[in-house]
């Protein structure tokens, strides 16, 4: 979704917002992200346009930060909402120097830290999930024999 105020034909750069050292020119919300937003964040039916508008506002207010210092997949919004997003080079938005700007593809929303304590340390949480799934598979294979 693009910022509707900045849609115009001109010689100026397209509208973008800085996220770290990247210029974000477009936001794409996947169907999975929309369902997770409705289930875990809003708890009501929200359309994609509303979610994208909120994401633009969070970006403009600089309230979206990287969850980990050196990784750019997981983001934290207002120190509470955990989101997974991919930054992909845009094929139609370029800055004045000709370098492509970025498109943020929101993959999913993991939830709120204030509601789900496990989100405070994602690496530990995911390693625990992998371990518990592995143990479940081991137990099931024992039962079959």
């Amino acid at each position: 979704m693009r910022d509707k105020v900045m849609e115009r034909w001109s010689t100026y750069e397209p509208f973008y917002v800085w996220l770290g050292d990247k210029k974000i020119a477009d936001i794409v919300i996947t169907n999975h992200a929309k369902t997770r937003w409705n289930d875990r964040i809003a708890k009501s039916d929200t359309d994609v346009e509303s979610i994208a508008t909120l994401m633009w506002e969070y970006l403009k207010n600089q309230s979206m930060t990287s969850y980990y210092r050196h990784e750019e997949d997981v983001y934290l919004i207002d120190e509470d909402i955990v989101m997974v997003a991919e930054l992909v080079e845009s094929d139609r938005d370029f800055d004045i120097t000709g370098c492509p700007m970025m498109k943020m593809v929101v993959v999913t929303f993991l939830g709120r830290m204030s509601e789900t304590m496990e989100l405070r340390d994602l690496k530990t949480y995911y390693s625990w999930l992998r371990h518990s799934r592995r143990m479940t598979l081991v137990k099931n294979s024992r039962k079959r024999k």
Side-chain angles (χ1 to χ4, degrees), residues 5 9 11 14 18 27 30 41 53 62 71 80 95 98 104 118:
V5 181
W9 291 94
T11 57
W18 285 97
I27 296 178
T30 62
I41 310 298
T53 304
Q62 297 178 347
E71 296 178 29
D80 189 30
D95 61 7
M104 176 182 271
E118 291 87 7

Side-chain angles (χ1 to χ4, degrees), residues 18-90:
W18 285 97
L19 178 63
D21 60 341
K22 308 275 194 237
K23 294 178 181 179
I24 307 296
D26 199 6
I27 296 178
V28 177
I29 308 289
T30 62
N31 285 332
H32 181 71
K34 177 185 178 276
T35 347
R36 288 296 178 104
W37 175 271
N38 291 332
D39 291 345
R40 298 181 176 185
I41 310 298
K43 309 237 187 311
S44 64
D45 194 27
T46 311
D47 63 330
V48 175
E49 285 247 349
S50 304
I51 299 170
T53 304
L54 273 171
M55 292 298 111
W56 272 120
E57 291 305 315
Y58 289 135
L59 277 170
K60 286 180 196 175
N61 297 334
Q62 297 178 347
S63 57
M64 189 181 294
T65 57
S66 184
Y67 187 88
Y68 299 114
R69 282 195 183 121
H70 304 293
E71 296 178 29
E72 295 182 342
D73 289 345
V74 183
Y75 294 94
L76 196 57
I77 302 170
D78 280 342
E79 300 293 323
D80 189 30
I81 300 170
V82 182
M83 167 185 89
V84 178
E86 255 182 71
L87 296 180
V88 182
E89 282 188 358
S90 178

Side-chain angles (χ1 to χ4, degrees), residues 6-15 96:
M6 299 303 287
E7 287 275 342
R8 65 182 185 270
W9 291 94
S10 66
T11 57
Y12 298 107
E13 266 184 318
F15 177 78
I96 291 176

